[in-house]
Amino acid sequence: MRSLLLLPATLLASTLQGGTDAFAPLAGVSAKSVKSNENVDLGNFLKTNDGGDKTMLVLGTYAADFNAVEYAQRLRYYMPELQKRGISKFGIVLNCEADAALKLVDLVDLPCDTSEGAVTLMIDPTGQAGRKFGVGTGWRSDDEEMSPYLKLFGMLFGLGAWATLPAVIGGYIGNPFTAQPWIEDAMAVGIRKKRWPDNGLELNDSGDVVVNKFQELPVVGEWKRRPLELATLRLQNMIDISIKNWKELAPKDDALKAGVLTQLGGCVVFDSTKDAVVFEWKDPGICAVANFENILEKVPVV
């Protein structure tokens, strides 16, 4: 009886002390730092920021996956704008081993702490952190008999990942209203690294873009995101990142058994001064990662 009487006071005390707790969905959930080989509590990683107000954490997928590649490419491009908004701490968790994580960030030129960059690179080979965060686990995730590759094939048609087809089709038809400047940057990185297709942009001797061929398309070349532009980048990613480097980037057997082949990703921006999430996203499909332009709109410049 006495414990029942004390319960309301206990709950009240927990509420009042909430600001000192870790970010709840990831409290006690760890990923391993590639640089230090030590476990990092992701809840505390989001809540503790000595250098500023806000922290951004990307819960990626396995290293050869479209979503992991695009998160890394987008983060590379948008980091300066995000920093203007008080986001001074960045982390990315990939569902792979350390060598695969290092390979991916090298392929996309993402500046991580393993090479004196700003992004803390972490790994979670079996994808536990993403599942705790609440990312989608894909089609028939509880079916232990079905091949994970067959499940992934079904997801390409929207099974268990409804936004896959709209995201893929959108890469072909473009968008006249919303710019996605990261696409040109990522494609230029690919061309500098000799990836194919390489005819969408012309670069000078310094590797800077001097001509975007998609802007020369009749009528639609004036759109904010030109038709075929994103689809061309995704073809470049598929051929010369995912397929060409499959042996180095593919998930290991224990990761396949844990379901990472079909697991989706997400991201969160946390403001430690307000003890609040200011942006949160969980991928609803393959290629349907967070739109960083929406993050810029949501988080004002400081």
Side-chain angles (χ1 to χ4, degrees), residues 54 81-82 85-87 268-271 274 276-281 291-302:
K54 305 178 190 75
E81 286 298 321
L82 294 169
R85 288 157 171 78
I87 302 174
V268 59
V269 177
F270 192 87
D271 188 334
K274 298 178 180 177
V277 171
V278 292
F279 183 87
E280 184 174 347
W281 176 265
N291 184 341
F292 279 47
E293 292 290 328
N294 291 341
I295 302 177
L296 299 187
E297 291 180 8
K298 187 78 173 177
V299 185
V301 175
V302 295

Side-chain angles (χ1 to χ4, degrees), residues 17-145:
Q17 293 172 3
T20 63
D21 294 337
F23 175 65
L26 294 175
V29 178
S30 295
K32 183 172 288 187
S33 164
V34 174
K35 180 179 180 179
S36 69
N37 202 37
E38 296 178 353
N39 287 331
V40 177
D41 184 299
L42 297 177
N44 288 332
F45 180 86
L46 276 167
K47 293 271 291 192
T48 307
N49 190 346
D50 296 332
D53 337 352
K54 305 178 190 75
T55 299
M56 180 175 188
L57 179 66
V58 172
L59 281 305
T61 51
Y62 67 95
D65 185 52
F66 277 113
N67 291 33
V69 174
E70 287 196 17
Y71 266 121
Q73 290 173 327
R74 295 177 192 228
L75 184 55
R76 166 195 149 81
Y77 176 81
Y78 283 104
M79 205 180 316
E81 286 298 321
L82 294 169
Q83 289 170 329
K84 292 178 184 177
R85 288 157 171 78
I87 302 174
S88 58
K89 186 178 177 184
F90 300 88
I92 184 168
V93 179
L94 296 171
N95 298 337
C96 62
E97 302 296 336
D99 55 350
L102 289 168
K103 179 69 174 180
L104 176 58
V105 299
D106 177 65
L107 286 167
V108 301
D109 275 356
L110 180 65
C112 293
D113 58 343
T114 49
S115 57
E116 307 305 320
V119 181
T120 301
L121 180 62
M122 295 170 279
I123 56 170
D124 176 27
T126 60
Q128 177 194 19
R131 292 191 296 276
K132 290 287 187 181
F133 180 64
V135 302
T137 53
W139 183 47
R140 300 179 70 92
S141 58
D142 296 330
D143 188 340
E144 297 181 0
E145 301 299 321

Side-chain angles (χ1 to χ4, degrees), residues 75-287:
L75 184 55
R76 166 195 149 81
Y77 176 81
Y78 283 104
M79 205 180 316
E81 286 298 321
L82 294 169
Q83 289 170 329
K84 292 178 184 177
R85 288 157 171 78
I87 302 174
S88 58
K89 186 178 177 184
F90 300 88
I92 184 168
V93 179
L94 296 171
N95 298 337
C96 62
E97 302 296 336
D99 55 350
L102 289 168
K103 179 69 174 180
L104 176 58
V105 299
D106 177 65
L107 286 167
V108 301
D109 275 356
L110 180 65
C112 293
D113 58 343
T114 49
S115 57
E116 307 305 320
V119 181
T120 301
L121 180 62
M122 295 170 279
I123 56 170
D124 176 27
T126 60
Q128 177 194 19
R131 292 191 296 276
K132 290 287 187 181
F133 180 64
V135 302
T137 53
W139 183 47
R140 300 179 70 92
S141 58
D142 296 330
D143 188 340
E144 297 181 0
E145 301 299 321
M146 181 179 285
S147 163
Y149 293 97
L150 182 57
K151 296 178 186 179
L152 181 63
F153 183 74
M155 289 177 66
L156 294 174
F157 296 93
L159 297 176
W162 69 267
T164 299
L165 287 177
V168 171
I169 293 169
Y172 288 92
I173 64 176
N175 187 317
F177 306 110
T178 305
Q180 294 290 312
W182 70 273
I183 300 171
E184 181 181 278
D185 178 72
M187 197 181 301
V189 170
I191 293 173
R192 290 194 291 268
K193 290 179 177 286
K194 310 301 182 185
R195 292 200 280 267
W196 185 89
D198 59 0
N199 57 354
L201 305 175
E202 289 183 10
L203 310 183
N204 61 20
D205 292 340
S206 300
D208 299 320
V209 177
V210 292
V211 176
N212 184 324
K213 299 290 186 65
F214 299 97
Q215 293 178 342
E216 298 177 347
L217 294 170
V219 183
V220 296
E222 299 179 359
W223 285 14
K224 298 284 189 174
R225 192 182 84 212
R226 278 72 60 178
L228 301 177
E229 191 173 19
L230 180 53
T232 301
L233 172 64
R234 286 173 173 164
L235 180 60
Q236 194 185 77
N237 290 345
M238 180 180 72
I239 293 173
D240 274 338
I241 293 183
S242 298
I243 295 176
K244 186 176 180 179
N245 301 281
W246 177 254
K247 285 187 177 180
E248 296 170 274
L249 301 180
K252 306 297 184 186
D253 288 343
D254 57 343
L256 286 175
K257 291 177 183 177
V260 302
L261 196 69
T262 57
Q263 184 169 313
L264 300 169
C267 70
V268 59
V269 177
F270 192 87
D271 188 334
S272 57
T273 63
K274 298 178 180 177
D275 195 31
V277 171
V278 292
F279 183 87
E280 184 174 347
W281 176 265
K282 294 165 187 171
D283 303 345
I286 297 170
C287 293

